Amino acid sequence: MTKYTGFVGTYTKGDSKGIYSFTLDTSLSKIMDVQVAAELENPTYLTVSENNQFIYSVVKDGDEGGVGALSLDPQTGKLTHLNKVTTAGSPPCHVSVGKENRNVFSANYHKGTIESYLINEDGTILPATSVVEHHGSGPDPRQDKPHTHYSAFTPDEKFVIAVELGADKIFSYEVSNGVLKEINQLTVKSGSGPRHIVFHPTQKFAYVMTEFSSEVIVLAYNDMDASFTEIEYKSTLPESFSENNQGSAIHISSDGKFIYAGNRGHNTIAIFKVNEENGTLTFVEHTSTEGNWPRDFVLDPSEKFIVASNQESSNLVLFSRDAQTGKLTLIQSDINVPDPVCVKFLNDVG
C-alpha cells in the first residue's frame, strides 16, 4: 500500500483558508483526508524542496507580496511557518526552488519581474539578491506591459529560465550567489502569451504552454548557452472550438514520452505523444477535467495518476494514467477544495 501526500495552493478570496493537504492512496485509487495545512493569504503557487523538508509559497500580506517558507512534517503533512519576505505591491504568481535548497526564484505577473533569493540552512529565506525587471509588450490587450509567469532553474541547474507572457519572450539567465545575469532571449509568436515551460528529461527539447494562443511551442534547447530555437507550434484545442480558452499548465512524463497541457475554457487536458528523435508532438486526445477552469494538474510520484485542480468549480479530479498510451481515465471528481490553483506532491525519496 502506497500513500502520497499532496498540497494545494489556493486563492483565499472565498472559503479557502490557505494551503490544503490531501492523501492519495494508490491501492484504493482514491484521494482522501483533505484538510487545511497552513493558513495563509492567497498562497496561489507552491513548490516543495527536494528533501521534502520545506515548502515555499507565494504569499500576500496586506498591500505587500512575496514568498514564504514553511517547514514540513512529512509524517503528518503539517506545515509550520518559518518566515516570509515581502515588498510593496502585488505578490508573485510562481515560485520555484533549487535541488540543493539554496535558491528560490519567483515570477511576478503584475510587476513583470523575477526575483532571486538565497536560503539559510534552516530553510528560511533571505531578502532578494536580484530583482530583474523585464521590458516589452504584445498585440493582445492583456499584453500592455511585461507579465512574467514562470522562473526556475534548468534541469541541470546551470541556468535560470523566465517565461514572459506580456512580451512573448523567454529569457535565459546565469546565476551566481543568487545574482542573475541575462545571457539569452527568444522572441516567440506575437500574441501567443507564453506561460510555463518544461524540459525533456533526456533529450535537448523544451515545451512551452501559451495562454492566449492555446498552443504548445516545441523548442530545441542548447544547454551550453541556454538558447532556444523554435521547432513547431501545436494547438491544444479542437479546430471547431471557438469560445474563450486560456492555456494553463504543462507537464511531461518522466520517461519523456507524453506532454499534458491544460485548457481553461475548453476545460480539458490535451495529451500529446513526443517524438524523441526530433521533439515534435502528435495529438492523442482531450480529457475533460470534470469541472471549470483547470488551473493546474500534477502527475503523482508513481505517474500512474494525475490530479487536476478546477479553480472556478472548486474541485480536484483524480485520473488514472496509462503509461503506454498516455491516456487518462476518470476515477474521482467530487473532491472539494475551495478556489484551487496549484497542486504539488511530496517527492518520492524512498
Side-chain angles (χ1 to χ4, degrees):
M1 182 175 71
T2 303
K3 293 182 178 180
Y4 296 118
T5 300
F7 292 91
V8 186
T10 69
Y11 278 111
T12 54
K13 57 190 177 184
D15 296 330
S16 173
K17 302 295 184 186
I19 299 173
Y20 287 74
S21 64
F22 65 88
T23 300
L24 169 61
D25 188 320
T26 60
S27 62
L28 297 177
S29 298
K30 187 175 183 180
I31 285 177
M32 56 186 69
D33 302 329
V34 177
Q35 57 189 321
V36 178
E39 294 197 11
L40 281 173
E41 186 177 2
N42 280 359
T44 53
Y45 205 89
L46 318 169
T47 188
V48 180
S49 67
E50 188 86 353
N51 61 10
N52 290 337
Q53 292 182 12
F54 306 102
I55 281 183
Y56 296 95
S57 170
V58 169
V59 294
K60 185 176 185 295
D61 187 4
D63 294 330
E64 295 196 339
V67 292
L70 303 100
S71 63
L72 168 65
D73 183 333
Q75 301 303 315
T76 65
K78 182 183 177 184
L79 299 177
T80 303
H81 296 275
L82 293 176
N83 81 319
K84 58 188 172 186
V85 178
T86 60
T87 55
S90 299
C93 64
H94 184 273
V95 62
S96 64
V97 63
K99 294 172 186 172
E100 300 297 321
N101 215 57
R102 294 174 185 161
N103 302 86
V104 163
F105 305 100
S106 67
N108 196 302
Y109 176 91
H110 296 283
K111 296 179 180 179
T113 58
I114 60 171
E115 299 83 17
S116 169
Y117 307 85
L118 294 175
I119 304 173
N120 290 314
E121 284 193 15
D122 64 0
T124 55
I125 307 169
L126 292 164
T129 50
S130 265
V131 178
V132 178
E133 185 175 345
H134 293 143
H135 301 280
S137 59
D140 191 284
R142 295 163 290 184
Q143 293 178 306
D144 57 323
K145 62 179 184 177
H147 291 301
T148 316
H149 220 301
Y150 170 101
S151 62
F153 270 130
T154 53
D156 59 11
E157 301 206 342
K158 289 181 181 177
F159 306 104
V160 172
I161 305 300
V163 181
E164 176 50 62
L165 178 145
D168 294 319
K169 290 181 182 291
I170 298 165
F171 292 95
S172 303
Y173 295 90
E174 288 179 335
V175 59
S176 178
N177 295 318
V179 177
L180 296 164
K181 177 187 175 184
E182 184 186 330
I183 57 168
N184 251 310
Q185 62 174 267
L186 171 73
T187 301
V188 297
K189 188 165 75 176
S190 180
S192 59
R195 179 182 170 94
H196 277 201
I197 188 170
V198 293
F199 287 83
H200 194 282
T202 58
Q203 307 298 323
K204 294 180 181 180
F205 304 119
Y207 300 87
V208 173
M209 183 68 190
T210 68
E211 181 166 325
F212 301 150
S213 65
S214 301
E215 292 172 299
V216 177
I217 310 173
V218 181
L219 302 172
Y221 174 61
N222 184 330
D223 61 3
M224 301 303 292
D225 62 0
S227 62
F228 297 93
T229 307
E230 292 162 301
I231 295 175
E232 70 169 349
Y233 286 69
K234 292 288 285 191
S235 176
T236 63
L237 295 171
E239 287 185 15
S240 60
F241 187 81
S242 59
E243 298 169 46
N244 175 50
N245 188 79
Q246 295 177 26
S248 59
I250 185 167
H251 296 286
I252 187 168
S253 56
S254 63
D255 60 9
K257 292 182 178 179
F258 295 98
I259 286 280
Y260 297 87
N263 286 311
R264 295 174 294 176
H266 191 239
N267 295 336
T268 57
I269 295 173
I271 306 166
F272 298 91
K273 185 172 178 56
V274 177
N275 181 323
E276 294 189 69
E277 296 296 317
N278 59 20
T280 58
L281 301 179
T282 301
F283 175 72
V284 177
E285 67 178 11
H286 290 106
T287 300
S288 170
T289 61
E290 305 294 326
N292 189 15
W293 217 246
R295 183 71 176 259
D296 195 15
F297 57 91
V298 66
L299 285 80
D300 82 304
S302 74
E303 300 201 352
K304 294 177 180 176
F305 300 91
I306 277 183
V307 179
S309 57
N310 289 304
Q311 181 183 327
E312 296 302 323
S313 51
S314 292
N315 66 312
L316 300 185
V317 184
L318 178 65
F319 302 94
S320 62
R321 189 182 85 93
D322 186 316
Q324 301 306 310
T325 65
K327 294 182 178 182
L328 306 179
T329 302
L330 175 66
I331 297 175
Q332 194 180 1
S333 62
D334 60 349
I335 309 146
N336 178 255
V337 175
D339 300 305
V341 178
C342 168
V343 192
K344 298 287 185 188
F345 276 99
L346 292 189
N347 300 300
D348 192 359
V349 294

